[in-house]
Amino acid sequence: MMMKMTRRGLGAAALALAALVSAPAPSVAKDLAKLTFIQEWPVPDGFWIPWILGSKKGFYAEEGIEIEIVTPPTVADTMKFLGTGRAQVAFTTSMDIIFAREQQAPVVAIARYGRGNNWGILSPEGKPLKIADLKGKTIGIYNDAWTKAQLSMMLADGGMTLDDVQTVAAADDTVPLLLQSKVDAITGITNAEGTGMMTAGNQKAEFLAATAHGVPNTPIFMLAANETWLKENPDVAKAFLRATRKGIDYAVANPDEAIAAFAELYSKAYDGKFIDQQWKDTIPLFGSIGPDLMVNDEADWTALLTALKKFEVVKDLQAPSAYYTNDYLAK
């Protein structure tokens, strides 16, 4: 999974604070079902805005849920919390679910967040790149299997391999590498690295979309759940997704109120300029706010798994239906 900038660089104090913060719900009755919702990163993230706002507006309480929004100690802990039942639901990525299931963790995607893969290669404003232009270029990357696999797929579409480019691995943020002209381009997503280029570099980065060059269009982010808990609490799972859908709808329709709710909760671990732009960059990724907004598409998962097998990213792959379910979404 790719890293994302600015929210990653808030410092140790912010990390410590974020690990302790959970979203407050309006006054709730004792009979509400308690739900622990683990996040994908240990620093407050603008992607969380729908459930931060939904908690404040009482959408979860209305559905009979007292939700605790928890940040993990490290990025590796999200699936650990979910797989062991310390959290019942999670905001995570499709790849994290696949890797976790390879380790036989009882986790499954229950809804998608966004409609596609907005990962690609970013270059400075005014310097667009085509696939053929990448030969011999220096590219800032994150040192994870999926980043390298996606880059390999893109290069293969242009008749190249990773040997045809020089890669520079960033510890936690590729954007400074590009802004300081240490690389010709970077890998990332439009609402993280792209957002960072706008807020830190005051420029709209050129974007070479991976999906236009052989990379599957499977959504990057997912809502996931512990399978054991799901079987025992189907009605709570459905209620959680209904409330989350309300949060997405409201946050998209009322972006200023949504951003303000996030700022109120995470004021001491918060880069206002970045989060504001990040949510505005995220809204278009939901596309049409229709009935299928959160529905997982089997064709997307099939394409992703086929690519992973071809590029030998994961050894033990299961059928697409093993990784997701739409059974808990409103019909």
Side-chain angles (χ1 to χ4, degrees), residues 97-105 313-316 318 323:
I97 292 168
I98 290 171
F99 286 135
R101 288 196 67 89
E102 188 180 28
Q103 300 301 316
Q104 301 183 341
V313 179
V314 179
K315 294 180 180 179
D316 184 18
Q318 304 171 43
Y323 299 96

Side-chain angles (χ1 to χ4, degrees), residues 54-211:
S55 180
K56 181 178 180 180
K57 300 291 290 186
F59 296 159
Y60 293 96
E62 290 168 4
E63 291 287 354
I65 294 173
E66 181 181 352
I67 191 167
E68 182 184 19
I69 300 169
V70 178
T71 56
T74 72
V75 292
D77 288 308
T78 299
M79 286 294 98
K80 292 178 183 177
F81 272 58
L82 190 64
T84 59
R86 293 174 64 186
Q88 294 78 49
V89 290
F91 178 57
T92 185
T93 71
S94 53
M95 281 306 306
D96 283 325
I97 292 168
I98 290 171
F99 286 135
R101 288 196 67 89
E102 188 180 28
Q103 300 301 316
Q104 301 183 341
V107 302
V108 66
I110 56 174
R112 64 182 179 182
Y113 182 95
R115 292 180 179 272
N117 183 349
N118 61 317
W119 185 94
I121 294 176
L122 298 92
S123 55
E125 184 173 15
K127 297 181 179 180
L129 295 172
K130 297 179 180 178
I131 283 293
D133 298 331
L134 297 179
K135 189 175 180 65
K137 291 291 193 293
T138 301
I139 302 175
I141 68 168
Y142 297 111
N143 197 21
D144 62 277
W146 185 224
T147 291
K148 292 180 178 178
Q150 290 186 105
L151 182 55
S152 295
M153 293 175 203
M154 290 188 73
L155 292 170
D157 192 58
M160 294 176 282
T161 70
L162 288 173
D163 292 334
D164 292 304
V165 299
Q166 181 179 349
T167 58
V168 176
D172 61 2
D173 183 6
T174 58
V175 171
L177 293 176
L178 189 57
L179 292 179
Q180 296 167 18
S181 300
K182 294 182 178 179
V183 296
D184 299 306
I186 59 174
T187 60
I189 57 178
T190 57
N191 56 337
E193 284 76 18
T195 301
M197 289 293 290
M198 177 64 71
T199 57
N202 195 32
Q203 60 176 289
K204 183 176 176 60
E206 306 292 344
F207 184 65
L208 184 63
T211 55

